[in-house]
Amino acid sequence: MGAAVELRQLEYFVAVAEELGGLGRAAERLRTAPEAVMDRIDALERTLGLILFDRQADGAPALRPPRTLRLTAAGESLLPEARAALAAAGRVRETAAGIAAGTEGLVRLGTSRAFADRVYRALGTLADGRPRLRVRLERAPQDARLAAVRSGTFDAALVRTVRRAPGLVLHPVWTDPLIVALPAAHPLAAYEAPLLGRLARLPLRLAPREANPAFHDLVTAAVPDWTPGPPFTTLADTLTALATASEPSWTVFYPVGALPQSDDLAFRTLPSPRVPVSLAIRADTPAPPPVQALLDALTATGAPAAPAAPTVPAAPTAAPALPGPRASAPRR
């Protein structure tokens, strides 16, 4: 009983049983010789310590191999379990083939709430074409998402503004617009997309570079002559300050949720520059087919449905649903 039972042995056992003990018919079904079938049966019986077939089934003298076999009581008891084991092994092979083809399996995706619109649309695309492919969403800060991909805890992660990441390949999937917030009474609020050159003369509330280097560099490259304004704290507090300060100023951020409703603020979407969003995958191995399928679905998603409207969309007037309340800079 210490030896392992081979699936091939069970396959031969089931074939003989289903052919009503006809060893020749079972051999034809298995495309082998009757002697080979009998050898497998003998090996299985030795492994299990059971007699599964009566070798004297036809009443003739014992032959090697016998012409027919008859199941013993032990063989009848084992037959349903052998069939179940073979069926389970078949499902394992089918699942493995599906994973290899990218039609099923599991992808552990690092993400954040800011990407929800795109991610759920991509998941809808996958569900239509690959209903057995599952994606488990894992929320974590951006640096933690990148570390989890490197360690293998996540299979892939969505990241924003990242241009290079050691040990990872960054596949561009879409770009997000920048959104400007400024006092609604300011003359520049009359423009649907105010020119950055004009905004440069207005004090900018921008998070320090150490808080988000890639975002800071993107903004300062687009507005090289920007005028430093009061400090950026959290987005919610900064928007409140914009609406109540006696001196006008502005801030800029990328979409991370619904915009707050306010008669004192104007939100405008800039046509450029745009913020890159990428899917990070480990560089040491090719992307597994399920990950490649997810990458294709993410890339194929259209423009975000919200919140990049040029006017303020309806939303609760309480705390803005943009970055978390303890954010010190726009979330990545």
Side-chain angles (χ1 to χ4, degrees):
M1 292 291 290
V5 175
E6 298 178 5
L7 287 174
R8 192 65 172 161
Q9 292 172 342
L10 295 180
E11 184 180 2
Y12 278 56
F13 165 61
V14 171
V16 174
E18 290 180 346
E19 295 299 336
L20 304 177
L23 202 61
R25 294 191 300 274
E28 290 180 4
R29 170 174 161 178
L30 295 166
R31 298 183 180 180
T32 189
E35 292 82 3
V37 177
M38 201 65 240
D39 287 343
R40 295 275 188 172
I41 297 297
D42 290 344
L44 178 61
E45 290 180 330
R46 289 193 300 272
T47 298
L48 298 175
L50 298 172
I51 300 300
L52 304 176
F53 291 102
D54 180 358
R55 270 68 168 169
Q56 303 289 330
D58 57 5
L63 301 174
R64 180 65 181 151
R67 287 190 295 272
T68 59
L69 301 172
R70 183 177 60 210
L71 280 171
T72 64
E76 287 189 25
S77 299
L78 187 66
L79 182 58
E81 303 302 328
R83 284 172 170 153
L86 291 175
R91 290 193 295 272
V92 169
R93 286 191 290 267
E94 289 175 2
T95 300
I99 294 171
T103 58
E104 60 183 287
L106 171 67
V107 179
R108 301 161 300 177
L109 175 65
T111 185
S112 76
R113 288 185 178 86
F115 302 132
D117 175 70
R118 292 271 197 164
V119 168
Y120 288 128
R121 279 189 285 145
L123 295 186
T125 299
L126 286 177
D128 291 339
R130 303 168 188 258
R132 298 180 66 179
L133 177 58
R134 296 186 299 121
V135 178
R136 188 168 69 213
L137 304 182
E138 306 277 4
R139 290 196 173 100
Q142 180 155 292
D143 289 344
R145 295 198 298 271
L146 292 170
V149 176
R150 291 189 185 97
S151 69
T153 304
F154 294 172
D155 300 300
L158 286 168
V159 292
R160 183 185 266 130
T161 69
V162 179
R163 301 290 185 179
R164 291 178 298 278
L168 302 176
V169 177
L170 299 173
H171 297 272
V173 286
W174 72 78
T175 60
D176 282 333
L178 288 175
I179 298 175
V180 165
L182 71 164
H186 194 277
L188 289 178
Y191 295 89
E192 184 172 307
L195 296 177
L196 290 176
R198 293 191 177 118
L199 284 169
R201 306 187 191 102
L202 191 65
L204 170 60
R205 297 175 184 256
L206 181 63
R209 188 177 187 278
E210 56 269 21
N212 189 336
F215 177 75
H216 190 280
D217 292 347
L218 180 74
V219 172
T220 55
V223 195
D225 298 326
W226 65 290
T227 303
F232 183 102
T233 53
T234 68
L235 184 54
D237 290 345
T238 299
L239 293 179
T240 299
L242 285 178
T244 58
S246 57
E247 294 297 326
S249 59
W250 66 294
T251 193
V252 61
F253 54 95
Y254 38 67
V256 288
L259 296 174
Q261 186 175 6
S262 172
D263 294 334
D264 298 318
L265 291 175
F267 297 95
R268 299 292 181 260
T269 301
L270 296 177
S272 65
R274 295 183 67 89
V275 181
V277 177
S278 304
L279 188 69
I281 301 172
R282 283 176 58 167
D284 55 353
T285 57
V291 175
Q292 183 63 49
L294 173 62
L295 173 60
D296 293 342
L298 288 168
T299 305
T301 58
T311 57
V312 181
T317 57
L322 287 156
R326 293 185 298 275
S328 60
R331 292 290 190 188
R332 287 174 280 177

